[in-house]
């Protein structure tokens, strides 16, 4: 069978675009995007930031290794991250700071007076904090377009409205059927389908890994108080909220993780109300108006680590999925790791072993 492409990548979000950029100069690559344009789902709805503690200690190597690329290309801007804890969470917060400090992450414990200096109007229940000065905002759109542009310059093909509906093995790779009736052939099928990752595996007659999409809600609010110009990303140690500035507005989230089927996620009114209520239990800044609200799906493997590597059942099927809420901040290092595996090159800055799909065999 004539192979039309060396690699077919399912999903043209940040994950698929990063691999297409790296592969297209040396190989024939097609990006298959089910929607009208790339990045419609998780990539286009991210409140992205780069902070090394987010995702836990086994995700931290990917985040840290991604920092130099994001900085060198101007995709980040200073922000800082402040994690708040109640009196009964002090021991856990101290352990959190110690664990990440041992990994080389700058994480400084703060007392109540320090917190009040950073967050005027802070509720009395918040007694302790950890500040990470190196946290930055990420220009997600610019990063995504950078990789899409690199893929195009390398000769890569992007097909939109190209939902994968069939994947059949052939001697030289895959015969792929698309929703519009087109058929293409590819040597290697790369699964960068986000919330649809398990569905793609099933189409290829491979065992799904249990990658679960979880809905996350964000609202943009106009605040009836002047918040500090240098306001950091503020998170709850208990995982119940975060908020961050976006211009002269705030983005609020109840840090929800509601199981969902793969879909075009929409915010639930209860979660919007929770975002506002939890924010108002942190600071006394009045919420004047909700201007926007949206939801996206963050997809996790059962152990909440990403999945990068060839499927144990088929060396022509490559997983690049399960990036949870840290897919943007880890994208440069994840792409480097995956490209090395795809090309058979030596291990780079990050050991791929913890993220191998073989761990679920």
């Amino acid at each position: 069978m004539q192979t039309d492409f060396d690699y077919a990548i399912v999903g043209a979000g940040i994950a698929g675009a990063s691999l297409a950029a790296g592969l297209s100069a040396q190989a024939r690559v097609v990006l298959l995007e089910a929607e009208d344009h790339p990045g419609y789902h998780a990539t286009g709805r991210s409140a992205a930031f780069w902070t090394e503690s987010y995702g836990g200690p086994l995700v931290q190597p990917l985040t840290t290794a991604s920092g130099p690329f994001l900085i060198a290309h101007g995709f980040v801007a200073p922000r800082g991250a402040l994690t708040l804890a109640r009196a009964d969470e002090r021991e856990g917060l101290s352990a959190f700071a110690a664990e990440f400090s041992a990994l080389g992450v700058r994480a400084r414990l703060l007392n109540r007076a320090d917190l009040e200096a950073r967050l005027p109007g802070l509720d009395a229940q918040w007694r302790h904090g950890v500040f990470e000065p190196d946290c930055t905002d990420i220009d997600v759109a610019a990063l995504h377009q950078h990789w899409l542009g690199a893929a195009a310059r390398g000769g890569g093909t992007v097909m939109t409205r190209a939902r994968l509906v069939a994947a059949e093995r052939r001697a030289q790779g895959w015969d792929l059927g698309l929703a519009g009736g087109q058929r293409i052939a590819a040597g290697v099928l790369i699964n960068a389908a986000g919330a649809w990752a398990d569905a793609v595996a099933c189409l290829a007659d491979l065992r799904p890994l249990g990658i679960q999409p979880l809905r996350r809600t964000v609202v943009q609010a106009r605040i009836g108080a002047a918040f500090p110009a240098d306001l950091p990303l503020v998170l709850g140690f208990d995982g119940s909220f975060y908020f961050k500035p976006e211009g002269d507005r705030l983005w609020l989230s109840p840090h929800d993780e509601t199981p969902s089927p793969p879909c075009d996620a929409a915010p639930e009114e209860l979660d919007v109300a929770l975002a506002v209520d939890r924010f108002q239990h942190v600071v006394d800044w009045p919420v004047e108006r909700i201007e926007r609200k949206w939801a996206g799906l963050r997809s996790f493997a059962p152990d909440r680590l990403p999945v990068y590597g060839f499927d144990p059942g088929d060396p022509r099927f490559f997983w690049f999925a399960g990036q949870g809420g840290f897919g943007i901040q880890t994208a440069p290092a994840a792409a480097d790791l995956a490209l090395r595996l795809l090309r058979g090159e030596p291990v780079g800055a990050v050991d791929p072993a913890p993220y191998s799909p073989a761990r679920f065999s």
Side-chain angles (χ1 to χ4, degrees), residues 265-303:
E268 299 284 343
E269 288 306 317
L270 175 59
D271 295 323
V272 172
L274 277 175
V276 175
D277 179 70
R278 291 175 181 178
F279 170 74
Q280 293 181 325
H281 282 83
V282 179
V283 288
D284 63 1
W285 310 342
V287 174
E288 289 189 338
R289 189 171 71 184
I290 299 298
E291 296 182 329
R292 287 200 300 139
K293 51 190 176 182
W294 66 95
L297 297 180
R298 307 154 75 252
S299 301
F300 288 92
D303 59 3

Side-chain angles (χ1 to χ4, degrees), residues 4 59 202:
D4 298 324
V59 173
C202 290

